[in-house]
Amino acid sequence: MAMRRAPPLLFPAAAKHTATVIFVHGLGDTGYGWASAVENWRRRQRLDEVKFVLPHAPRIPITAAEGMPMPGWYDIFALSGRTDDIRKDQDERGILQSRDYLHGLIQAEMDSGIPANRIVLGGFSQGGAISLFTGLTAKVKLAGIVALSSYLPLDSKFPDFLKENDHNRKTPVLMCHGDEDNVVPMNFGKMSYEMLKSQGFDVTMKIYPGMPHSACVEELDEVETFLRSRLPPEADKKTEL
């Protein structure tokens, strides 16, 4: 039986729609949790041709919360803040289900006329983790991937998934992390970054001193700059001609 999912929160492009950003929230949150960040980017009018899609995770029992149902992209077995605990037990089935769902959102944008190279996938915490995994194993080459305060799930099996789809080795990836994160340790994010870098992925990592497991203005400005660089307005091209 298919999992019941609420439709994503949508922010239409302010001008002609030529690009899409799919941004994925973290554990226990909803798409509405990132609406203010998107509204701020839209107010600054540097991403006018971009439609934003903020999906909502289904409510699932979370083992680390004694089975309490909450919005989650996959089950989490430990919230100790230790890298080994996060890596030890991972909900592969849930991760792959969410990957399929996000692949479906990407395909829906392509079906509406937006090419894959005008789509960025990103997210925060668990949403960043599933975005990183989904984007790097996508069936199409994306414009970019953003992973905030997150990590690469199923890292020990990652080479096997790349055998199925390896189209995004040269896709720019932006990873950001606070050095006082006690939920997803910065060192775990750095471990994921170094692993991807060693395998030839085009990944950049920004560290924010004093930032806990959250976002900050400087980080969101960095994301905006990345989005603008990966999804430049097509109107600019016409002006140049």
Side-chain angles (χ1 to χ4, degrees):
M1 189 173 79
M3 190 174 289
R4 291 183 61 186
R5 297 179 184 271
L9 178 62
L10 303 178
F11 288 85
K16 182 185 176 185
H17 176 208
T18 70
T20 297
V21 171
I22 301 169
F23 197 88
V24 188
H25 67 78
L27 180 68
D29 200 0
T30 69
Y32 290 101
W34 283 86
S36 60
V38 170
E39 286 167 349
N40 188 52
W41 290 328
R42 283 162 57 86
R43 257 195 309 273
R44 289 153 66 124
Q45 298 183 309
R46 295 172 188 164
L47 299 166
D48 281 353
E49 296 184 11
V50 178
K51 168 187 173 183
F52 288 87
V53 178
L54 305 184
H56 307 293
R59 290 177 65 84
I60 60 171
I62 299 298
T63 300
E66 300 182 347
M68 182 187 299
M70 65 179 72
W73 298 105
Y74 50 88
D75 194 8
I76 295 287
F77 297 97
L79 287 170
S80 64
R82 291 193 293 269
T83 297
D84 289 346
D85 289 345
I86 301 172
R87 292 185 74 220
K88 184 172 61 177
D89 293 312
Q90 298 192 56
D91 176 18
E92 181 172 343
R93 182 170 171 269
I95 290 167
L96 295 181
Q97 280 183 335
S98 287
R99 181 181 69 161
D100 288 347
Y101 172 68
L102 294 177
H103 280 166
L105 293 182
I106 292 168
Q107 187 61 52
E109 291 304 302
M110 292 170 60
D111 290 346
S112 74
I114 303 301
N117 65 2
R118 295 283 292 170
I119 298 173
V120 169
L121 178 62
F124 171 78
S125 191
Q126 192 187 55
I130 195 64
S131 294
L132 193 57
F133 180 76
T134 298
L136 294 178
T137 62
K139 300 172 185 177
V140 291
K141 184 173 180 5
L142 301 173
I145 300 165
V146 177
L148 309 182
S149 303
S150 56
Y151 60 94
L152 179 66
L154 303 179
D155 52 332
S156 62
K157 294 186 175 182
F158 187 61
D160 294 332
F161 291 108
L162 286 179
K163 290 174 186 173
E164 299 169 11
N165 296 295
D166 188 3
H167 305 297
N168 286 280
R169 202 172 286 262
K170 298 304 177 186
T171 297
V173 178
L174 174 65
M175 297 182 70
C176 300
H177 223 114
D179 68 357
E180 292 192 12
D181 192 327
N182 60 3
V183 178
V184 178
M186 180 194 70
N187 286 340
F188 191 12
K190 205 169 177 184
M191 183 190 304
S192 297
Y193 159 76
E194 288 171 351
M195 187 195 93
L196 291 171
K197 198 78 175 170
S198 71
Q199 294 184 20
F201 287 88
D202 181 8
V203 56
T204 300
M205 188 167 195
K206 303 281 186 178
I207 303 296
Y208 295 87
M211 188 174 78
H213 191 66
S214 63
C216 66
V217 172
E218 294 81 3
E219 179 187 40
L220 295 178
D221 287 349
E222 187 76 45
V223 173
E224 181 184 23
T225 299
F226 178 81
L227 295 178
R228 172 78 185 205
S229 72
R230 299 311 306 152
L231 305 171
E234 294 201 334
D236 287 359
K237 294 181 187 174
K238 291 172 185 170
T239 305
E240 291 168 6
L241 292 175

